[in-house]
Amino acid sequence: MSALALSYFLLNAFCCFFIIRIGFKLTANKKIRVKIILALFLWQVFIYLVSISGFTINIEFPPRFGILFIIPSFIFTGFFMYRNKHWVASIPNRQITLFQSFRIVVELLFVWSCSEGTLHKNATIEGYNFDMIFGFSALLIYSLADQFKLGGPKLLLFWNFLGLLVLLSVIFVFNSTLYFPHIYGLEPTSLTTSFLEYPFILVAGFMMPLAVFFHCLSILHIQKRNF
């Protein structure tokens, strides 16, 4: 495994650890804790098995990785929020706000991937992906809304919706570059599908949906406690 691939794998492991830590804080029920670990493990295995099968390495529209990974993740997010409204108010919102700064590392890995020829520069901060800036804003919002008590819940609510829009723009840039390169004056032959392989696919299959999940969780938390 290359140093670049290992970096993606380690960041993914950190995200898994964070989810387990949050889950364990919310419940002392051993059965629920086991379910959290088992669900994470099975999803990671699913991503790995699908990616090594070569099924997702296809640039025909619609994107297969979106159908297999992203859409199910979004459905799970909606279902989870609907079924667990009763304890959302108890989540550590300050921690999941700060967690969004992990997107800085993701974007740094994107730049590295671009230099290695694994990812087109359109999907990095050198192109049309400004998610790194939003990642830095997580540090600022954490300080303003929590440490200095400025802005309050309305600021945090706006920031979370903005984060979802930024992620939506990243999804558009990535998919349009890969599936409709002519929009940017690119030839399909100039692109690589390496980013659809493991462990790079973990970004689309797990990390990006996780960022969406925590934004939605934070929004629900704010509305539950303040509105």
Side-chain angles (χ1 to χ4, degrees), residues 172-196:
F172 173 78
V173 169
F174 180 84
N175 282 281
S176 59
T177 299
L178 191 59
Y179 295 97
F180 307 103
H182 59 275
I183 295 177
Y184 306 97
L186 301 172
E187 294 294 331
T189 53
S190 66
L191 303 176
T192 176
T193 58
S194 299
F195 209 73
L196 299 178

Side-chain angles (χ1 to χ4, degrees), residues 50-58 64-65 68:
V50 171
S51 61
I52 65 170
S53 72
F55 185 77
T56 56
I57 307 176
N58 186 299
R64 294 182 178 183
F65 70 89
L68 288 176

Side-chain angles (χ1 to χ4, degrees), residues 110-143:
F110 277 10
V111 174
W112 187 3
S113 300
C114 180
S115 69
E116 294 286 325
T118 304
L119 187 66
H120 193 274
K121 72 174 183 179
N122 274 8
T124 72
I125 196 169
E126 297 177 12
Y128 306 100
N129 183 350
F130 305 107
D131 200 40
M132 182 185 292
I133 297 174
F134 187 84
F136 278 110
S137 77
L139 304 175
L140 178 63
I141 291 297
Y142 171 77
S143 298

